[in-house]
């Protein structure tokens, strides 16, 4: 039996992966903000006779303090982890600034994944073939890091914010691998492709457009998670893995630049104090 934590495990691909590992006989903790969805996961665990292998932590992952509380709670429950899967993401139609001073997309898509990954490394290093799985847009090169305005206080746009978050989370994987050259934990950046994983955080008319596109061209969650499961169960060599579905991503892409990754890591450390 392996032990997994899925941040964003109440919906979409995170929920699909959590349910897969639970049904397989593993121990799974999901983290999310919706208690009703958390209860559904626990109810499914009860139906499987797996109540002792399932847990739900309610948290707002846009908050630095909440991420740190989640880390402390997981450490109080487990002595080792085999995998951390980070999927939590929302579309914010208007600029929202968190109490920590971050733009909310950046906080959820990047800062939360930074905190959870580094904060749970000690447990991961004690696991069996440990891996951090970051579901993102690796391989895409659109978007940039707005170094002088990470919080997008000037000229916010929801697409602009999403693209910055995507490029930041790519660099997060590069920096993590560089910062743990002798560690055992692999870091997987995975682009699943267009997946019908829900439109709850979208506003109209975008919500209706995406739902229509998904109906005709999006893959199902069950299809989208299969390459991730394969990579987790039989990982290739390397500290940093970057895949677009089953295809390796070129590590020389500018979006995976080691110097930019180091710069963002140092900036983030400074902002987090």
């Amino acid at each position: 039996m392996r032990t997994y934590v899925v941040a964003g495990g109440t919906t979409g691909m995170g929920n699909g992966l959590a349910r897969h590992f639970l049904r397989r006989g593993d121990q799974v903790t999901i983290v999310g903000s919706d208690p009703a969805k958390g209860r559904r996961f626990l109810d499914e665990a009860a139906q499987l006779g797996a109540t002792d292998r399932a847990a739900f932590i309610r948290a707002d992952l846009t908050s630095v303090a909440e991420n740190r509380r989640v880390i402390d709670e997981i450490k109080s429950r487990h002595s080792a982890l085999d995998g951390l899967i980070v999927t939590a993401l929302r579309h914010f139609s208007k600029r929202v600034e968190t109490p920590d001073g971050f733009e909310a997309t950046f906080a959820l898509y990047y800062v939360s994944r930074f905190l959870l990954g580094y904060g749970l490394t000690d447990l991961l290093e004690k696991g069996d073939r440990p891996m951090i799985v970051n579901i993102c847009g690796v391989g895409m090169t659109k978007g940039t890091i707005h170094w002088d305005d990470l919080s997008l206080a000037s000229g916010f746009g929801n697409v602009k914010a999403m693209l910055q978050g995507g490029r930041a989370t790519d660099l997060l994987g590069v920096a993590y691998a560089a910062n743990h050259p002798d560690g055992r934990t692999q870091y997987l950046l995975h682009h699943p492709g267009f997946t019908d994983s829900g439109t709850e955080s979208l506003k109209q008319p975008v919500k209706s457009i995406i739902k229509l596109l998904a109906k005709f061209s999006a893959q199902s969650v069950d299809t989208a998670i299969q390459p991730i499961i394969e990579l987790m169960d039989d990982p290739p060599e390397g500290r940093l893995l970057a895949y677009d579905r089953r295809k390796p991503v070129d590590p020389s892409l500018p979006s995976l630049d080691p110097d930019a990754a180091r710069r963002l890591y140092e900036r983030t450390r400074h902002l987090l104090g």
Side-chain angles (χ1 to χ4, degrees):
M1 180 176 69
R2 296 181 181 177
T3 302
Y4 296 100
V5 170
V6 186
T10 56
T11 59
M13 293 181 63
N15 186 249
L17 286 163
R19 293 172 63 243
H20 166 80
F21 289 121
L22 186 70
R23 292 194 300 266
R24 194 172 73 174
D26 295 316
Q27 189 169 21
V28 183
T29 296
I30 64 170
V31 184
S33 60
D34 190 329
K37 292 176 181 176
R39 173 50 58 186
R40 283 202 291 271
F41 177 73
L42 297 178
D43 288 345
E44 179 172 346
Q47 292 171 8
L48 293 170
T51 302
D52 60 334
R53 294 191 286 104
F56 167 62
I57 300 176
R58 182 181 182 184
D60 174 6
L61 293 176
T62 65
S63 162
V64 170
E66 285 281 89
N67 279 277
R68 288 174 172 159
R69 176 180 63 82
V70 168
I71 292 166
D72 288 342
E73 189 164 341
I74 291 168
K75 286 184 173 181
S76 72
R77 296 183 181 190
H78 303 291
S79 58
L81 291 178
D82 297 293
L84 167 66
I85 302 167
V86 286
T87 72
L89 186 60
R90 279 184 58 196
H91 295 264
F92 295 88
S93 58
K94 297 181 179 179
R95 183 178 181 274
V96 175
E97 186 170 308
T98 71
D100 306 295
F102 295 111
E103 184 273 320
T105 310
F106 191 78
L108 186 57
Y109 201 170
Y110 170 69
V111 177
S112 172
R113 300 180 187 207
F114 180 102
L115 290 165
L116 293 173
Y118 283 103
L120 293 173
T121 292
D122 289 349
L123 295 188
L124 287 161
E125 286 295 303
K126 299 173 184 176
D128 178 27
R129 291 188 301 173
M131 179 181 286
I132 297 173
V133 179
N134 191 331
I135 296 178
C136 55
V138 67
M140 294 179 59
T141 56
K142 290 183 179 180
T144 189
I145 305 297
H146 299 274
W147 297 103
D148 296 328
D149 186 20
L150 290 176
S151 65
L152 302 182
S154 301
F156 172 84
N158 57 356
V159 174
K160 179 180 179 181
M162 192 64 68
L163 289 174
Q164 173 173 250
R167 302 296 68 76
T169 205
D170 290 350
L171 296 176
L172 170 58
V174 176
Y176 184 92
N179 287 334
H180 298 90
D182 300 319
R184 298 175 56 249
T185 305
Q186 292 181 292
Y187 202 108
L188 170 62
L189 295 167
H190 192 275
H191 183 359
F194 187 22
T195 302
D196 187 7
S197 56
T199 58
E200 295 178 12
S201 65
L202 297 174
K203 302 295 183 182
Q204 297 292 6
V206 176
K207 183 174 183 177
S208 294
I209 294 170
I210 297 299
K211 287 180 71 174
L212 182 62
L213 289 172
K215 182 178 179 180
F216 292 102
S217 59
Q219 62 186 335
S220 68
V221 166
D222 286 344
T223 298
I225 64 176
Q226 287 307 310
I228 299 171
I229 294 167
E230 292 167 12
L231 286 164
M232 293 181 73
D233 286 347
D234 187 20
E237 294 294 324
R239 296 300 317 291
L240 177 64
L241 309 174
Y243 278 77
D244 182 342
R245 283 147 282 197
R246 290 182 173 88
K247 181 180 178 181
V249 171
D250 182 356
S252 69
L253 286 175
S255 53
L256 299 174
D257 178 62
D259 292 336
R262 169 57 58 179
R263 181 182 180 187
L264 185 60
Y265 170 75
E266 295 295 348
R267 177 73 66 84
T268 307
R269 284 186 58 196
H270 173 73
L271 292 172
L272 290 171

